[in-house]
Amino acid sequence: MKENRYDDQTFFDKYSQMARSQKGLAGAGEWPELEKLLPDFSGKRVLDLGCGYGWHCRYALDHGAAYVLGTDLSQRMLEQARARHGGPGIEYRQAAMEDLQFPEGSFDAVISSLAFHYVRDFQPLAERIGRWLVPGGSFVFSVEHPVFTACGSQDWYYDENGNILHFPVDNYYLEGRRDAVFLGERVVKYHRTLTSYLDTLLQSGFTLRRLVEPKPPEELMDLPGMRDELRRPMMLLIAAEKR
Amino acid sequence: MKENRYDDQTFFDKYSQMARSQKGLAGAGEWPELEKLLPDFSGKRVLDLGCGYGWHCRYALDHGAAYVLGTDLSQRMLEQARARHGGPGIEYRQAAMEDLQFPEGSFDAVISSLAFHYVRDFQPLAERIGRWLVPGGSFVFSVEHPVFTACGSQDWYYDENGNILHFPVDNYYLEGRRDAVFLGERVVKYHRTLTSYLDTLLQSGFTLRRLVEPKPPEELMDLPGMRDELRRPMMLLIAAEKR
């Protein structure tokens, strides 16, 4: 990627209004499922790729991590992270994750929330993450689901009265750039197949521990539009382990 | 399932005209990818669930298997299998795979081609397969992709001129029965999510080795409709290993 929409004032202002920005983990529908996949952080060195406001960094530290490094491309995000979730044991660094370099075995856990679909090439990144991790180290991440990213529009298909008909899938095997709309703004994302996420991990020295497509929790089902989220998968949560 | 469309004369006649029935493995577009996932069969005891004409059973035997058992619900299929691919070392048995019973560790490899989407409950089956396998045993199978089974119609969405617009996904998280149309005939299939295939395996004592969504090979791309198969995933190939 290296496109950095989050430092665009309009985009950032909209992002900062989202439930996940204001309420943090509790405002992210997938969090209860993601939390179950996270490793025991006690005494661990943790890297968070695309850390945003730093909610996950703080969570890791609060759950015993010895050291947490959050990286993000966006300076605005990191300002928020430092202000809200700074302190001893947490470091924030501005960097494109494609450019990061660490010595082998620098981390016991690597986490990433909804950031890899901004990255053009997953395989080299997965291989580098594999080297940064100690053997047995955890790699847990969420991404937008390939079903959600395939078409590009990331919108439902509607009838002439504006009712949802279904969710469209197209160009599934044509991986690469998609001009998506997020928060009413144009955002470049990268679509890849499930094979490209999972088989790449399996062939890059990772063992898969869990795979979950989170669905809206029952207690949120009455929120507007939430029941429609049973009609399409929007996210993919993956827990892997470095062999 | 236990619905057995393959013993319906009309359906069976149509099925017998398909390339995969007439040409066998060479007529199945996904075969080159599936073959790569298969284990070394030398000296192995192999179970093929939903064996159809017995092409995969014969392949296993030709590649050194000590014993191959093919099971299928359809008597007509098994007649074809016995006639085409019978002989010493191969046994065919009529049974719904949900009803099969074997002692623990009876097989070194279990394979299944495009049959599990006829089965209502995957988890109990996966657990039983896990018990039938020796530790380290292989479990390799293909199924229709959850994207392909979600909506039910298994058909593209067209514009008013009959041109393909996209492939529709709907009711993704609502697992269960779908009334699909296959070869112009109504067929009951069962949709389940990717989570239900993969996470079930991971939580039932299997290690995932490979996951591949096969796409049409380049050399077939000029066949009618083949290029459209780059627009949606139709199948999922999974190779797992009993821990």
Side-chain angles (χ1 to χ4, degrees):
Chain A
M1 74 167 169
K2 310 203 181 175
E3 189 200 45
N4 179 9
R5 293 291 288 163
Y6 291 87
D7 276 349
D8 171 298
Q9 185 70 53
T10 309
F11 188 82
F12 185 79
D13 287 348
K14 288 183 179 177
Y15 181 81
S16 67
Q17 296 306 313
M18 287 184 79
R20 64 179 62 229
S21 305
Q22 303 216 325
K23 299 188 198 165
L25 305 178
E30 78 283 11
W31 169 247
E33 293 300 318
L34 185 61
E35 186 179 21
K36 289 181 207 159
L37 305 193
L38 293 175
D40 176 6
F41 285 118
S42 309
K44 302 279 173 68
R45 298 161 300 166
V46 180
L47 171 64
D48 183 358
L49 295 168
C51 64
Y53 280 28
W55 295 101
H56 297 91
C57 292
R58 161 64 57 173
Y59 179 91
L61 201 74
D62 287 348
H63 286 75
Y67 166 72
V68 183
L69 174 61
T71 73
D72 205 288
L73 192 55
S74 159
Q75 190 51 49
R76 283 178 203 267
M77 287 289 206
L78 293 170
E79 279 164 19
Q80 291 288 328
R82 289 191 185 104
R84 294 166 182 238
H85 304 296
I90 295 196
E91 192 185 335
Y92 292 104
R93 188 180 302 176
Q94 189 182 17
M97 63 179 96
E98 301 91 321
D99 298 335
L100 287 169
Q101 300 210 14
F102 302 104
E104 219 166 291
S106 293
F107 295 97
D108 306 295
V110 174
I111 59 177
S112 180
S113 170
L114 300 177
F116 291 153
H117 47 257
Y118 293 121
V119 175
R120 183 189 297 270
D121 300 310
F122 183 64
Q123 182 172 356
L125 181 62
E127 285 173 1
R128 287 161 64 239
I129 290 169
R131 288 195 294 274
W132 300 340
L133 279 169
V134 295
S138 297
F139 181 25
V140 179
F141 64 94
S142 61
V143 285
E144 288 185 349
H145 199 290
V147 165
F148 190 63
T149 58
C151 214
S153 66
Q154 304 204 318
D155 198 3
W156 300 98
Y157 193 76
Y158 302 89
D159 70 12
E160 65 271 26
N161 300 314
N163 302 308
I164 292 174
L165 286 177
H166 52 253
F167 191 78
V169 166
D170 206 349
N171 295 323
Y172 185 81
Y173 288 104
L174 305 179
E175 301 191 313
R177 179 182 169 129
R178 299 292 190 271
D179 293 312
V181 174
F182 178 45
L183 302 172
E185 304 283 321
R186 191 192 57 77
V187 184
V188 172
K189 297 184 180 182
Y190 292 91
H191 165 69
R192 54 183 63 90
T193 64
L194 202 65
T195 307
S196 286
Y197 279 118
L198 298 181
D199 211 47
T200 297
L201 288 176
L202 293 170
Q203 300 213 61
S204 303
F206 288 96
T207 299
L208 211 58
R209 282 200 301 113
R210 298 287 307 278
L211 179 143
V212 175
E213 297 156 299
K215 56 179 172 182
E218 202 48 57
E219 62 271 22
L220 298 184
M221 211 51 92
D222 291 334
L223 291 181
M226 205 53 103
R227 197 163 293 276
D228 291 327
E229 294 305 329
L230 294 175
R231 302 175 66 173
R232 65 173 177 195
M234 195 191 254
M235 292 184 201
L236 193 61
L237 315 182
I238 295 174
E241 192 175 295
K242 167 76 174 155
R243 280 196 290 270
Chain B
M1 75 167 166
K2 308 201 178 173
E3 189 201 45
N4 179 8
R5 294 291 289 164
Y6 291 86
D7 276 349
D8 171 299
Q9 184 71 51
T10 309
F11 188 83
F12 185 79
D13 287 349
K14 288 183 180 177
Y15 181 82
S16 68
Q17 297 305 313
M18 288 184 78
R20 63 179 62 229
S21 305
Q22 302 215 326
K23 298 187 199 165
L25 304 178
E30 79 283 10
W31 169 247
E33 292 301 317
L34 185 61
E35 185 179 22
K36 290 180 205 159
L37 304 193
L38 293 174
D40 175 7
F41 286 118
S42 309
K44 301 280 174 67
R45 299 161 299 166
V46 180
L47 171 65
D48 183 357
L49 295 168
C51 65
Y53 281 27
W55 295 101
H56 298 91
C57 292
R58 160 64 57 173
Y59 179 90
L61 200 75
D62 287 349
H63 287 74
Y67 166 72
V68 182
L69 173 61
T71 73
D72 206 287
L73 192 56
S74 159
Q75 189 53 49
R76 282 177 204 267
M77 287 289 206
L78 293 170
E79 279 164 19
Q80 292 289 326
R82 289 190 185 105
R84 294 165 182 238
H85 304 296
I90 295 196
E91 193 184 333
Y92 292 104
R93 188 181 303 177
Q94 189 181 18
M97 63 180 94
E98 301 92 320
D99 298 335
L100 287 169
Q101 300 210 13
F102 302 104
E104 219 166 289
S106 294
F107 294 97
D108 305 295
V110 174
I111 59 177
S112 179
S113 171
L114 299 177
F116 292 153
H117 46 258
Y118 292 123
V119 175
R120 182 188 297 269
D121 299 311
F122 183 64
Q123 181 172 356
L125 180 62
E127 286 173 1
R128 287 160 64 237
I129 290 169
R131 288 196 294 274
W132 300 339
L133 279 169
V134 295
S138 298
F139 180 26
V140 179
F141 64 93
S142 61
V143 284
E144 288 186 349
H145 199 290
V147 165
F148 191 62
T149 57
C151 214
S153 66
Q154 304 204 317
D155 198 3
W156 300 98
Y157 192 76
Y158 302 90
D159 69 12
E160 63 272 24
N161 300 316
N163 301 309
I164 291 175
L165 287 178
H166 53 251
F167 191 78
V169 165
D170 207 348
N171 295 323
Y172 185 80
Y173 288 104
L174 305 178
E175 302 191 312
R177 179 181 168 131
R178 298 292 190 271
D179 292 311
V181 174
F182 178 45
L183 303 172
E185 304 283 321
R186 190 192 56 77
V187 184
V188 172
K189 296 185 181 181
Y190 291 92
H191 165 69
R192 55 182 63 91
T193 64
L194 202 63
T195 307
S196 286
Y197 279 118
L198 298 181
D199 211 47
T200 296
L201 287 176
L202 293 171
Q203 302 213 61
S204 304
F206 288 95
T207 299
L208 210 58
R209 282 199 301 113
R210 298 287 309 277
L211 178 143
V212 175
E213 297 156 298
K215 57 179 172 183
E218 201 50 54
E219 63 269 22
L220 298 184
M221 210 52 91
D222 290 334
L223 291 182
M226 204 53 103
R227 198 162 291 276
D228 291 326
E229 294 305 330
L230 294 175
R231 302 175 67 172
R232 65 173 178 195
M234 194 191 254
M235 291 182 201
L236 192 61
L237 315 182
I238 295 174
E241 193 175 294
K242 168 76 173 156
R243 281 197 289 272

